[in-house]
C-alpha cells in the first residue's frame, strides 16, 4: 500500500504540480490510514511532513528522485530501432524511476541523423538534449557540443572504459565531448564445427602445407575461403559486405589497415600526416582492393548486393565457413542460427608486409602484424551546447553508460550495444545466457585483443567525412563491378580527396587529421 500511495502522489505531482487538487485530500486521507500501519520512526517523519504540507516528500520522493529532475523532459534522439534506440529506451526507464524526470525518445533513419543534428545545433534550435551518433561525425559536431562534466571524468566508471575509446574517440580539440555507449570493430567469425573437424584438418594441411586454424594473414584467409568454398554442398568460404550504402567502405578499410597502417609511420594510413596528401592510391591500398575484390570468388552468389546486415544470417545460418563483421554476427550465431555452440571469433588477419609511404617500398616484418580496424567505432552520446537541460542530460548519459546499465545492454537481444568497458570483457559469466563458455571466451578475447593490439587502426574521423566517403563508395563500387581497374578507381578517389581537402582548408584538415590519429600538432 505504501507503493500505491507513492504512485498516487506522483500522479498528483505530474498533473497539477504546486496547486490545490482534489487528489491531495485523498492522498492525505490515505496517508493517515497508512499512519497506523508503519513504524514509530516513520510516523514521526510522516507527521512532520504532513504538518508542513510536504506530502510529495512524505511518500518517498526523497528516495526516488536522486537527483531530482521532476518536471524535466529530455529529448533524446538516435537512429530508428531496435538497434541502439531500444537500449536508450530501456535505460530511460531506469533513469526516470531514479530521477522522476522524463525521456522523449525521437528516432530517425540513420541517413537523416547527420543533417538533422548538425542543422539543429548550428541554428541553436534547442531541439535535442542528447544525441546518439557515430565518432566519424564528432569533428563536425564538436564546436556545438557541451563538454563532459569533470565529475564524470574520474572514478571507477571512467577508468573502466577501455583507453582506446576513452582517450581516442571521446575527445576532440582537447576536450571530452562525448561518451561511448557501444564499442565497435571488425572481427573474423568462423565455425568450430568446420575448423576442428579431423577430416577437414587433414585435407587442408595436405593441400596448403600448414594447419587449419583462424587465419593470421589475409593469404591464409583466402586459402581457407577457397578450401571451404563448396557451393554444390550449400557452403561458401566467406561473407563480406560489398553493397554501396551497405557499409561497404568499412570492409575495404579493414583490408587496407593491414597493408597501409604502417607502425613505422603512425597516422599514415589515409593521408600523409605531414602534407595531408591522400594515400588511398598507394600500393598498400591497391593490394587491399585487389584482395577485397578477390573475396567475391568465395562469397555466395549476388554478394555485390550484400550489406552488413546480409552477412550475419549467412554466417549464423551455416551458409559460410567465415565472415567479417562487427560483434553482431557472433551473438546471432549463438542465439538464433544453426551453428549454436560453434561460434568462434578472432582478430582480423594481418600481414608481414606493409607499405611505407616515405620510402616508397614495402616494410617486411618477421611475424604478421595485426592491424585490427575499429570500423565505425561504436555509438556515442553527447549533449548539444544549446540544450536547456544540460545537467539532467549528462545525468542520463552517465546512467546509460554506467557499468550496471551497459552491462545489461550488451547481453540483451537487439540492443546493438557491444562491449567497450574493461568489465564487459572480463565478466565471462555475464554472457552465459547467450554463449557457451568457450564461445564467450573466444568472443570477448578477440575484442579485447583487437583493442590492445599495438598497431590497432582507428577509423577515419575528419570534418567533411560524408563528402570523402561518398566519392570513395562511388569509385569503389565501379572497381568491384569490374567497370574500372582498381588502380584507376583509387587514383580518382585520391584526386577527389585532395580537392576536398583543399576546399575544406588543407591546414585545418591536416590539424584535424593529426589530432584524430593521436599525433601532436606539427
Amino acid at each position: 500500500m505504501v507503493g500505491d500511495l507513492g504512485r498516487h502522489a506522483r500522479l498528483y505531482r505530474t498533473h497539477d504540480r504546486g496547486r490545490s487538487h482534489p487528489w491531495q485530500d485523498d492522498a492525505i486521507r490515505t496517508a493517515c490510514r497508512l499512519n497506523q500501519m508503519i513504524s514509530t520512526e516513520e510516523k514521526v517523519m510522516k507527521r512532520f511532513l504532513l504538518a508542513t504540507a510536504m506530502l510529495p516528500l512524505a511518500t518517498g520522493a526523497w528516495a526516488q528522485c536522486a537527483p531530482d529532475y521532476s518536471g524535466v523532459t529530455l529529448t533524446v534522439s538516435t537512429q530508428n530501432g531496435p538497434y541502439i534506440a531500444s537500449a536508450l529506451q530501456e535505460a530511460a526507464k531506469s533513469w526516470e524511476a531514479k530521477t522522476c524526470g522524463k525521456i522523449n525518445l525521437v528516432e530517425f533513419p540513420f541517413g537523416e541523423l547527420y543533417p538533422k543534428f548538425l542543422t539543429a545545433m548550428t541554428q541553436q534550435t534547442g531541439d535535442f538534449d542528447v544525441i546518439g551518433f557515430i565518432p566519424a561525425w564528432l569533428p563536425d559536431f564538436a564546436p556545438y557540443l557541451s563538454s563532459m562534466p569533470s565529475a564524470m571524468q574520474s572514478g571507477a566508471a571512467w577508468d573502466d572504459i577501455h583507453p582506446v575509446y576513452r582517450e581516442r574517440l571521446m575527445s576532440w580539440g582537447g576536450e571530452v565531448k562525448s561518451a561511448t555507449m557501444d564499442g565497435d570493430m571488425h572481427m573474423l567469425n568462423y565455425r568450430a564445427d568446420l575448423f576442428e573437424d579431423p577430416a577437414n584438418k587433414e585435407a587442408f594441411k595436405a593441400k596448403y602445407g600448414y594447419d587449419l586454424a583462424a587465419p593470421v594473414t589475409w593469404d591464409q584467409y583466402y586459402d581457407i575461403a577457397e578450401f571451404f568454398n563448396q557451393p554444390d554442398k550449400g557452403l561458401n568460404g566467406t561473407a563480406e559486405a560489398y553493397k554501396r550504402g551497405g557499409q561497404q567502405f568499412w570492409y575495404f578499410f579493414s583490408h587496407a589497415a593491414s597493408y597501409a597502417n604502417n607502425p613505422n609511420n603512425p597516422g599514415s594510413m589515409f593521408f600523409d600526416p605531414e602534407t595531408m596528401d591522400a594515400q588511398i592510391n598507394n600500393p598498400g591500398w591497391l593490394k587491399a582492393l585487389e584482395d577485397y575484390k578477390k573475396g567475391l570468388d568465395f562469397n555466395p552468389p549476388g554478394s555485390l548486393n550484400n550489406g552488413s546486415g546480409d552477412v550475419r544470417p549467412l554466417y549464423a545460418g551455416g551458409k559460410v565457413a567465415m565472415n567479417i563483421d562487427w560483434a553482431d554476427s557472433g551473438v546471432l550465431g549463438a542465439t538464433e542460427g544453426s551453428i549454436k555452440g560453434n561460434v568462434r571469433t578472432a582478430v582480423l588477419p594481418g600481414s608481414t608486409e606493409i607499405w611505407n609511404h616515405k620510402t616508397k617500398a614495402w616494410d617486411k616484418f618477421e611475424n604478421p602484424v595485426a592491424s585490427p580496424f575499429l570500423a565505425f567505432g561504436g555509438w556515442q552520446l553527447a549533449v548539444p551546447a544549446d540544450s536547456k537541460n544540460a545537467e539532467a542530460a549528462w545525468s542520463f548519459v552517465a546512467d546509460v553508460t554506467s557499468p550496471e546499465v551497459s552491462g545489461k545492454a550488451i547481453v540483451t537481444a537487439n540492443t546493438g550495444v557491444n562491449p567497450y568497458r574493461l568489465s564487459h570483457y572480463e565478466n565471462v559469466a555475464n554472457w552465459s545466457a547467450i554463449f557457451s563458455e568457450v564461445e564467450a571466451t573466444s568472443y570477448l578475447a578477440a575484442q579485447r585483443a583487437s583493442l590492445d593490439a599495438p598497431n590497432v587502426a582507428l577509423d577515419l574521423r575528419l570534418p567533411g567525412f560524408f563528402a570523402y566517403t561518398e566519392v570513395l563508395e562511388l569509385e569503389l563500387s565501379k572497381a568491384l563491378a569490374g567497370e574500372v581497374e582498381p588502380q584507376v578507381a583509387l587514383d580518382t578517389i585520391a584526386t577527389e580527396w585532395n580537392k576536398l581537402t583543399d576546399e575544406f582548408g588543407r591546414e585545418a584538415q591536416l590539424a584535424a587529421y593529426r589530432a584524430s590519429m593521436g599525433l601532436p600538432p606539427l
Side-chain angles (χ1 to χ4, degrees):
M1 292 180 66
V2 174
D4 292 338
L5 174 59
R7 286 192 291 275
H8 191 157
R10 287 198 300 277
L11 189 58
Y12 155 67
R13 291 198 308 274
T14 300
H15 280 77
D16 207 355
R17 184 173 176 82
R19 298 206 301 271
S20 177
H21 196 289
W23 287 359
Q24 185 175 21
D25 296 334
D26 294 340
I28 293 173
R29 284 194 294 270
T30 304
C32 290
R33 287 195 299 270
L34 285 173
N35 207 36
Q36 301 172 4
M37 303 172 59
I38 55 181
S39 68
T40 302
E41 292 82 4
E42 289 174 313
K43 285 181 182 179
V44 174
M45 180 61 71
K46 185 74 69 174
R47 287 168 180 165
F48 170 76
L49 293 174
L50 288 171
T52 55
M54 295 175 67
L55 177 63
L57 294 178
T59 61
W62 275 342
Q64 292 169 350
C65 304
D68 188 350
Y69 293 121
S70 302
V72 174
T73 297
L74 299 178
T75 299
V76 178
S77 185
T78 190
Q79 70 171 358
N80 287 341
Y83 302 116
I84 302 303
S86 65
L88 293 176
Q89 190 68 63
E90 198 61 32
K93 298 176 185 177
S94 167
W95 185 82
E96 288 176 343
K98 286 188 288 188
T99 68
C100 300
K102 297 295 179 184
I103 298 294
N104 175 33
L105 184 62
V106 180
E107 302 173 30
F108 299 109
F110 178 80
E112 296 181 14
L113 292 181
Y114 178 90
K116 283 186 181 293
F117 291 166
L118 191 59
T119 298
M121 290 189 293
T122 56
Q123 295 182 359
Q124 297 186 318
T125 63
D127 289 347
F128 306 109
D129 295 300
V130 178
I131 57 174
F133 62 100
I134 67 174
W137 303 344
L138 186 58
D140 289 330
F141 288 2
Y144 312 105
L145 299 175
S146 64
S147 296
M148 179 184 287
S150 57
M152 288 178 61
Q153 298 181 43
S154 62
W158 173 257
D159 294 338
D160 189 42
I161 303 170
H162 194 284
V164 170
Y165 296 112
R166 186 182 68 227
E167 299 170 7
R168 303 291 294 275
L169 297 183
M170 291 165 50
S171 299
W172 194 259
E175 297 182 40
V176 180
K177 292 287 189 176
S178 62
T180 291
M181 69 159 291
D182 161 54
D184 271 330
M185 69 201 70
H186 267 169
M187 298 180 294
L188 175 82
N189 299 289
Y190 64 100
R191 290 172 50 185
D193 57 324
L194 296 179
F195 276 64
E196 296 173 6
D197 179 83
N200 287 338
K201 295 173 73 171
E202 182 180 356
F204 183 87
K205 187 164 187 177
K207 183 174 182 179
Y208 297 99
Y210 61 93
D211 291 331
L212 176 61
V216 295
T217 67
W218 288 104
D219 287 342
Q220 292 179 1
Y221 171 78
Y222 289 113
D223 283 347
I224 296 170
E226 179 185 57
F227 178 77
F228 284 117
N229 198 53
Q230 304 166 26
D232 57 321
K233 297 181 180 179
L235 180 67
N236 286 100
T238 190
E240 297 188 44
Y242 291 91
K243 181 181 179 180
R244 181 183 176 190
Q247 303 180 329
Q248 163 206 77
F249 64 84
W250 276 304
Y251 281 76
F252 177 40
F253 288 172
S254 286
H255 286 265
S258 297
Y259 300 118
N261 189 47
N262 195 315
N264 297 322
N265 297 313
S268 62
M269 178 172 166
F270 297 99
F271 296 90
D272 184 322
E274 296 180 356
T275 67
M276 203 54 192
D277 288 336
Q279 294 302 302
I280 197 166
N281 61 335
N282 71 33
W285 283 87
L286 178 60
K287 169 65 173 168
L289 180 49
E290 290 173 343
D291 273 9
Y292 181 43
K293 185 178 180 181
K294 179 172 65 176
L296 284 166
D297 294 339
F298 312 119
N299 272 249
S303 288
L304 280 175
N305 296 315
N306 282 349
S308 61
D310 300 303
V311 307
R312 292 164 195 161
L314 287 171
Y315 171 72
K319 302 297 184 182
V320 295
M322 304 179 288
N323 83 350
I324 291 174
D325 189 26
W326 288 274
D328 309 88
S329 277
V331 173
L332 187 66
T335 56
E336 300 180 20
S338 62
I339 60 170
K340 294 178 182 179
N342 291 297
V343 171
R344 298 293 185 273
T345 315
V347 176
L348 285 179
S351 176
T352 57
E353 295 185 340
I354 306 178
W355 181 254
N356 188 321
H357 80 287
K358 288 186 175 180
T359 63
K360 309 298 182 186
W362 291 94
D363 286 346
K364 300 184 185 301
F365 299 85
E366 183 177 353
N367 297 308
V369 177
S371 303
F373 182 65
L374 300 193
F376 197 83
W379 284 85
Q380 300 184 323
L381 298 177
V383 177
D386 61 356
S387 168
K388 296 179 177 60
N389 304 298
E391 180 184 309
W394 278 112
S395 169
F396 177 65
V397 171
D399 206 55
V400 174
T401 61
S402 67
E404 297 76 19
V405 174
S406 65
K408 293 178 182 177
I410 57 176
V411 294
T412 300
N414 297 320
T415 63
V417 178
N418 294 316
Y420 59 92
R421 288 184 169 277
L422 300 179
S423 57
H424 293 167
Y425 305 116
E426 294 164 357
N427 187 2
V428 176
N430 190 36
W431 298 85
S432 60
I434 297 176
F435 295 114
S436 66
E437 184 176 355
V438 66
E439 287 177 318
T441 300
S442 169
Y443 176 82
L444 297 172
Q447 294 183 62
R448 182 68 184 268
S450 295
L451 290 168
D452 292 344
N455 203 45
V456 61
L458 298 185
D459 201 355
L460 179 64
R461 292 195 304 159
L462 200 63
F465 173 84
F466 267 173
Y468 287 95
T469 55
E470 183 178 21
V471 171
L472 169 65
E473 281 200 301
L474 179 63
E475 298 302 322
L476 182 58
S477 296
K478 292 179 182 178
L480 292 172
E483 297 173 8
V484 298
E485 291 298 316
Q487 186 66 66
V488 172
L490 295 177
D491 287 342
T492 301
I493 296 168
T495 298
E496 294 301 315
W497 276 19
N498 285 329
K499 288 180 181 178
L500 286 169
T501 297
D502 289 333
E503 291 174 8
F504 285 114
R506 186 168 290 266
E507 289 188 8
Q509 292 296 85
L510 177 58
Y513 179 70
R514 289 184 65 86
S516 73
M517 292 293 150
L519 300 175
L522 284 175

Short mmCIF file of all heavy atoms in Angstrom, two decimals, residues 216-218 257-259 261-264 347-354 363-372 453-456:
data_model
loop_
_atom_site.label_atom_id
_atom_site.label_comp_id
_atom_site.label_asym_id
_atom_site.label_seq_id
_atom_site.Cartn_x
_atom_site.Cartn_y
_atom_site.Cartn_z
N VAL A 216 45.86 -15.78 -39.62
CA VAL A 216 46.56 -14.61 -39.06
C VAL A 216 47.08 -13.70 -40.16
O VAL A 216 47.59 -12.61 -39.88
CB VAL A 216 47.71 -15.04 -38.13
CG1 VAL A 216 47.17 -15.76 -36.91
CG2 VAL A 216 48.73 -15.89 -38.87
N THR A 217 46.97 -14.14 -41.43
CA THR A 217 47.28 -13.27 -42.58
C THR A 217 46.13 -13.37 -43.56
O THR A 217 45.34 -14.33 -43.55
CB THR A 217 48.58 -13.69 -43.29
OG1 THR A 217 48.39 -14.97 -43.92
CG2 THR A 217 49.75 -13.76 -42.32
N TRP A 218 46.04 -12.39 -44.44
CA TRP A 218 44.99 -12.42 -45.46
C TRP A 218 45.22 -13.53 -46.47
O TRP A 218 44.27 -14.10 -47.02
CB TRP A 218 44.89 -11.07 -46.16
CG TRP A 218 44.29 -10.02 -45.27
CD1 TRP A 218 44.94 -9.01 -44.63
CD2 TRP A 218 42.91 -9.91 -44.90
NE1 TRP A 218 44.07 -8.27 -43.88
CE2 TRP A 218 42.80 -8.78 -44.04
CE3 TRP A 218 41.76 -10.62 -45.21
CZ2 TRP A 218 41.59 -8.37 -43.48
CZ3 TRP A 218 40.54 -10.21 -44.67
CH2 TRP A 218 40.46 -9.11 -43.82
N ALA A 257 43.89 -1.62 -43.69
CA ALA A 257 44.67 -1.39 -42.47
C ALA A 257 45.89 -2.31 -42.40
O ALA A 257 46.95 -1.91 -41.93
CB ALA A 257 43.79 -1.60 -41.24
N SER A 258 45.75 -3.53 -42.90
CA SER A 258 46.85 -4.49 -42.83
C SER A 258 48.00 -4.14 -43.77
O SER A 258 49.13 -4.60 -43.55
CB SER A 258 46.34 -5.89 -43.18
OG SER A 258 45.39 -6.32 -42.24
N TYR A 259 47.73 -3.36 -44.78
CA TYR A 259 48.76 -3.05 -45.79
C TYR A 259 49.17 -1.58 -45.80
O TYR A 259 50.17 -1.23 -46.43
CB TYR A 259 48.24 -3.42 -47.18
CG TYR A 259 47.90 -4.88 -47.34
CD1 TYR A 259 46.60 -5.28 -47.64
CD2 TYR A 259 48.87 -5.86 -47.20
CE1 TYR A 259 46.27 -6.62 -47.79
CE2 TYR A 259 48.56 -7.21 -47.35
CZ TYR A 259 47.25 -7.59 -47.64
OH TYR A 259 46.94 -8.92 -47.79
N ASN A 261 48.53 0.71 -42.75
CA ASN A 261 48.69 1.29 -41.41
C ASN A 261 50.06 0.90 -40.87
O ASN A 261 50.20 0.00 -40.05
CB ASN A 261 47.58 0.80 -40.48
CG ASN A 261 47.56 1.53 -39.16
OD1 ASN A 261 47.63 2.75 -39.10
ND2 ASN A 261 47.46 0.78 -38.07
N ASN A 262 51.08 1.60 -41.32
CA ASN A 262 52.46 1.21 -41.02
C ASN A 262 52.88 1.69 -39.63
O ASN A 262 52.85 2.88 -39.34
CB ASN A 262 53.41 1.79 -42.07
CG ASN A 262 54.79 1.14 -42.04
OD1 ASN A 262 55.37 0.95 -40.99
ND2 ASN A 262 55.30 0.82 -43.23
N PRO A 263 53.27 0.75 -38.73
CA PRO A 263 53.68 1.16 -37.38
C PRO A 263 54.92 2.04 -37.37
O PRO A 263 55.16 2.76 -36.39
CB PRO A 263 53.92 -0.17 -36.67
CG PRO A 263 54.22 -1.15 -37.76
CD PRO A 263 53.38 -0.70 -38.93
N ASN A 264 55.71 1.99 -38.45
CA ASN A 264 56.90 2.84 -38.54
C ASN A 264 56.55 4.28 -38.92
O ASN A 264 57.39 5.18 -38.76
CB ASN A 264 57.89 2.28 -39.56
CG ASN A 264 58.41 0.92 -39.15
OD1 ASN A 264 58.66 0.66 -37.97
ND2 ASN A 264 58.56 0.01 -40.11
N VAL A 347 40.77 -12.05 -34.06
CA VAL A 347 41.23 -10.75 -34.56
C VAL A 347 41.36 -10.83 -36.07
O VAL A 347 41.67 -11.90 -36.64
CB VAL A 347 42.60 -10.39 -33.93
CG1 VAL A 347 43.15 -9.09 -34.50
CG2 VAL A 347 42.46 -10.30 -32.41
N LEU A 348 41.11 -9.73 -36.76
CA LEU A 348 41.25 -9.71 -38.22
C LEU A 348 42.65 -10.16 -38.64
O LEU A 348 43.63 -9.91 -37.93
CB LEU A 348 41.01 -8.30 -38.76
CG LEU A 348 39.57 -7.79 -38.82
CD1 LEU A 348 39.56 -6.35 -39.37
CD2 LEU A 348 38.70 -8.68 -39.69
N PRO A 349 42.76 -10.79 -39.80
CA PRO A 349 44.08 -11.16 -40.31
C PRO A 349 44.99 -9.95 -40.48
O PRO A 349 44.51 -8.82 -40.65
CB PRO A 349 43.77 -11.82 -41.66
CG PRO A 349 42.34 -12.25 -41.56
CD PRO A 349 41.68 -11.23 -40.69
N GLY A 350 46.30 -10.20 -40.46
CA GLY A 350 47.28 -9.13 -40.64
C GLY A 350 48.17 -9.41 -41.83
O GLY A 350 47.77 -10.14 -42.76
N SER A 351 49.38 -8.86 -41.81
CA SER A 351 50.29 -9.01 -42.94
C SER A 351 51.74 -8.93 -42.47
O SER A 351 52.03 -8.30 -41.44
CB SER A 351 50.02 -7.91 -43.97
OG SER A 351 50.96 -7.97 -45.03
N THR A 352 52.62 -9.55 -43.23
CA THR A 352 54.05 -9.44 -42.95
C THR A 352 54.70 -8.34 -43.78
O THR A 352 55.90 -8.08 -43.65
CB THR A 352 54.77 -10.76 -43.25
OG1 THR A 352 54.53 -11.13 -44.62
CG2 THR A 352 54.29 -11.87 -42.33
N GLU A 353 53.91 -7.69 -44.62
CA GLU A 353 54.41 -6.58 -45.44
C GLU A 353 53.43 -5.41 -45.36
O GLU A 353 52.22 -5.59 -45.54
CB GLU A 353 54.58 -6.99 -46.90
CG GLU A 353 55.63 -8.06 -47.14
CD GLU A 353 55.83 -8.36 -48.61
OE1 GLU A 353 54.93 -8.04 -49.42
OE2 GLU A 353 56.90 -8.90 -48.96
N ILE A 354 53.96 -4.22 -45.09
CA ILE A 354 53.13 -3.02 -45.00
C ILE A 354 53.83 -1.90 -45.79
O ILE A 354 55.04 -1.68 -45.65
CB ILE A 354 52.91 -2.58 -43.55
CG1 ILE A 354 52.33 -3.75 -42.72
CG2 ILE A 354 51.96 -1.38 -43.48
CD1 ILE A 354 52.12 -3.42 -41.25
N ASP A 363 57.71 -2.44 -46.20
CA ASP A 363 58.44 -2.83 -45.00
C ASP A 363 58.07 -4.27 -44.69
O ASP A 363 56.89 -4.63 -44.65
CB ASP A 363 58.07 -1.94 -43.81
CG ASP A 363 58.68 -0.55 -43.93
OD1 ASP A 363 59.59 -0.37 -44.76
OD2 ASP A 363 58.23 0.34 -43.18
N LYS A 364 59.08 -5.10 -44.43
CA LYS A 364 58.85 -6.52 -44.17
C LYS A 364 59.03 -6.80 -42.68
O LYS A 364 59.95 -6.28 -42.05
CB LYS A 364 59.79 -7.37 -45.01
CG LYS A 364 59.63 -7.16 -46.52
CD LYS A 364 60.52 -8.08 -47.31
CE LYS A 364 60.44 -7.78 -48.81
NZ LYS A 364 59.07 -7.90 -49.34
N PHE A 365 58.16 -7.66 -42.14
CA PHE A 365 58.17 -7.99 -40.73
C PHE A 365 58.29 -9.50 -40.57
O PHE A 365 57.73 -10.27 -41.35
CB PHE A 365 56.88 -7.50 -40.06
CG PHE A 365 56.69 -6.01 -40.14
CD1 PHE A 365 56.11 -5.43 -41.27
CD2 PHE A 365 57.11 -5.19 -39.12
CE1 PHE A 365 55.93 -4.06 -41.36
CE2 PHE A 365 56.94 -3.81 -39.20
CZ PHE A 365 56.35 -3.24 -40.33
N GLU A 366 59.04 -9.91 -39.55
CA GLU A 366 59.29 -11.34 -39.34
C GLU A 366 58.00 -12.08 -39.04
O GLU A 366 57.78 -13.19 -39.53
CB GLU A 366 60.29 -11.52 -38.19
CG GLU A 366 60.66 -12.98 -37.94
CD GLU A 366 61.71 -13.13 -36.85
OE1 GLU A 366 62.24 -12.11 -36.38
OE2 GLU A 366 61.99 -14.29 -36.46
N ASN A 367 57.15 -11.49 -38.24
CA ASN A 367 55.86 -12.09 -37.89
C ASN A 367 54.73 -11.20 -38.40
O ASN A 367 54.89 -9.99 -38.53
CB ASN A 367 55.75 -12.25 -36.38
CG ASN A 367 56.80 -13.20 -35.82
OD1 ASN A 367 56.94 -14.32 -36.30
ND2 ASN A 367 57.52 -12.74 -34.80
N PRO A 368 53.58 -11.80 -38.67
CA PRO A 368 52.45 -10.98 -39.15
C PRO A 368 52.10 -9.88 -38.14
O PRO A 368 52.03 -10.13 -36.93
CB PRO A 368 51.32 -12.00 -39.27
CG PRO A 368 52.00 -13.32 -39.46
CD PRO A 368 53.24 -13.24 -38.63
N VAL A 369 51.89 -8.70 -38.67
CA VAL A 369 51.48 -7.56 -37.84
C VAL A 369 49.95 -7.47 -37.88
O VAL A 369 49.37 -7.29 -38.95
CB VAL A 369 52.10 -6.24 -38.34
CG1 VAL A 369 51.59 -5.07 -37.51
CG2 VAL A 369 53.61 -6.32 -38.29
N ALA A 370 49.34 -7.60 -36.72
CA ALA A 370 47.89 -7.44 -36.65
C ALA A 370 47.55 -5.96 -36.63
O ALA A 370 48.09 -5.20 -35.82
CB ALA A 370 47.35 -8.13 -35.40
N SER A 371 46.66 -5.55 -37.52
CA SER A 371 46.22 -4.16 -37.59
C SER A 371 44.70 -4.11 -37.53
O SER A 371 44.05 -3.65 -38.48
CB SER A 371 46.74 -3.50 -38.87
OG SER A 371 48.15 -3.59 -38.97
N PRO A 372 44.11 -4.61 -36.45
CA PRO A 372 42.65 -4.65 -36.37
C PRO A 372 42.05 -3.26 -36.55
O PRO A 372 42.55 -2.27 -35.99
CB PRO A 372 42.38 -5.21 -34.98
CG PRO A 372 43.64 -5.00 -34.22
CD PRO A 372 44.75 -5.07 -35.21
N ALA A 453 45.84 -4.32 -29.42
CA ALA A 453 46.90 -4.52 -30.42
C ALA A 453 47.72 -3.24 -30.59
O ALA A 453 47.16 -2.15 -30.73
CB ALA A 453 46.27 -4.92 -31.76
N PRO A 454 49.04 -3.35 -30.59
CA PRO A 454 49.89 -2.16 -30.72
C PRO A 454 49.62 -1.37 -32.00
O PRO A 454 49.79 -0.15 -32.03
CB PRO A 454 51.31 -2.73 -30.71
CG PRO A 454 51.18 -4.03 -29.98
CD PRO A 454 49.83 -4.57 -30.36
N ASN A 455 49.20 -2.06 -33.06
CA ASN A 455 49.00 -1.37 -34.34
C ASN A 455 47.52 -1.26 -34.69
O ASN A 455 47.15 -1.25 -35.87
CB ASN A 455 49.74 -2.10 -35.46
CG ASN A 455 50.04 -1.18 -36.65
OD1 ASN A 455 50.49 -0.05 -36.46
ND2 ASN A 455 49.81 -1.66 -37.86
N VAL A 456 46.68 -1.16 -33.67
CA VAL A 456 45.24 -1.01 -33.92
C VAL A 456 45.02 0.23 -34.80
O VAL A 456 45.66 1.26 -34.64
CB VAL A 456 44.47 -0.90 -32.59
CG1 VAL A 456 44.92 0.32 -31.78
CG2 VAL A 456 42.97 -0.87 -32.84
#
